Amino acid sequence: MIFTDGLRSAGAAVRLWFAPARIRAEGTTPDYRFSLANERTFLAWLRTGLALIGGGFAVDQFLPRLHPGMRVTFTVVLLAGGALCALRAVNHWVRCERAMRRGEDLPVTRFPTALALAVGVLAVAVVVLVLLGRTG
């Protein structure tokens, strides 16, 4: 029962991604400056996702001497991170917009921390490989 309620709730949230006008049915219209700031944050997350995707392609194309397994791992991690970032951007935009309309606190998320740690670990791994001369 709890699982199906969770799926139903998640499905309703995803439907809002494709019909943002439905958000207007909730609460009152916030100050437009806040909605526009929310949109700028959304666009910043999309840029971050695109940068991660670009990094994935760069690793694949410009590190040919890197061990194939490592190169594929780094590439996939960066590409998946970029995709997650884009999906998280739209989800966070909807959640924030709904919270503002309802007069609630903005939602908190651990995603930026997880993303920063993943990128940091990946960067350290690449630095070590460069220092060892294994990136060719």
Side-chain angles (χ1 to χ4, degrees):
M1 181 70 171
I2 293 173
F3 180 73
T4 56
D5 289 343
L7 284 177
R8 206 171 292 126
S9 175
V14 170
R15 281 192 296 277
L16 286 175
W17 296 4
F18 301 100
R22 293 171 68 194
I23 295 173
R24 290 184 178 169
E26 297 186 35
T28 60
T29 302
D31 185 326
Y32 289 108
R33 293 174 291 180
F34 299 123
S35 289
L36 292 173
N38 189 29
E39 187 174 326
R40 285 190 300 273
T41 302
F42 166 75
L43 294 172
W45 277 105
L46 283 183
R47 285 191 301 273
T48 301
L50 287 170
L52 289 169
I53 291 168
F57 284 121
V59 166
D60 187 54
Q61 294 298 309
F62 298 119
L63 299 177
R65 286 188 32 204
L66 187 61
H67 183 277
M70 290 182 119
R71 190 174 76 232
V72 168
T73 299
F74 288 178
T75 299
V76 169
V77 166
L78 287 166
L79 292 174
L84 283 173
C85 212
L87 293 172
R88 184 67 180 121
V90 70
N91 184 52
H92 191 69
W93 176 82
V94 167
R95 290 174 61 215
C96 287
E97 199 65 29
R98 289 177 82 190
M100 287 187 296
R101 295 189 71 81
R102 294 174 175 175
E104 299 171 354
D105 288 339
L106 293 180
V108 295
T109 177
R110 291 185 186 108
F111 185 77
T113 303
L115 181 65
L117 289 173
V119 169
V121 167
L122 195 62
V124 168
V126 171
V127 166
V128 168
L129 291 171
V130 167
L131 291 175
L132 294 175
R134 300 193 180 186
T135 58

